Amino acid sequence: DYKTAYSRITEYISKDSSNTEALFIASFASLKLKRYAQSLSFIERCLLRNPENEDYIKLHSKAKEKLANVTKTERRFGI
């Protein structure tokens, strides 16, 4: 389950923050848990290390889109 995966991978990242695969997994799990700002933060760290990776680019785009939609909804309803 994504909650467990997120918990374990973020614990791992706290010990080794340079592992881009771990950051990618954390971004993906965050996206599935609807933690879009966290997802974007993790994937941006991946892109800093490997800006041409297509998987990173795709996940970045998706996280950015989801966060924008949430932000738009919050503005619309004054949340």
Side-chain angles (χ1 to χ4, degrees), residues 40-53:
L40 196 57
S41 176
F42 285 125
I43 201 62
E44 285 176 346
R45 289 165 63 187
C46 290
L47 285 167
L48 286 173
R49 292 178 176 88
N50 191 349
E52 308 218 354
N53 182 298

Side-chain angles (χ1 to χ4, degrees), residues 22 31-32 47 49 57 65:
L31 189 70
K32 292 296 185 180
L47 285 167
R49 292 178 176 88
I57 293 167
E65 176 187 329

Side-chain angles (χ1 to χ4, degrees), residues 25-75:
I25 293 167
S27 180
F28 185 81
S30 297
L31 189 70
K32 292 296 185 180
L33 293 169
K34 299 181 181 180
R35 298 176 181 173
Y36 305 127
Q38 287 177 323
S39 177
L40 196 57
S41 176
F42 285 125
I43 201 62
E44 285 176 346
R45 289 165 63 187
C46 290
L47 285 167
L48 286 173
R49 292 178 176 88
N50 191 349
E52 308 218 354
N53 182 298
E54 289 184 27
D55 291 330
Y56 298 170
I57 293 167
K58 287 177 189 174
L59 189 56
H60 180 264
S61 177
K62 188 159 192 119
K64 198 171 176 182
E65 176 187 329
K66 293 284 189 180
L67 184 59
N69 287 339
V70 168
T71 304
K72 189 186 308 181
T73 301
E74 288 175 346
R75 277 186 297 207

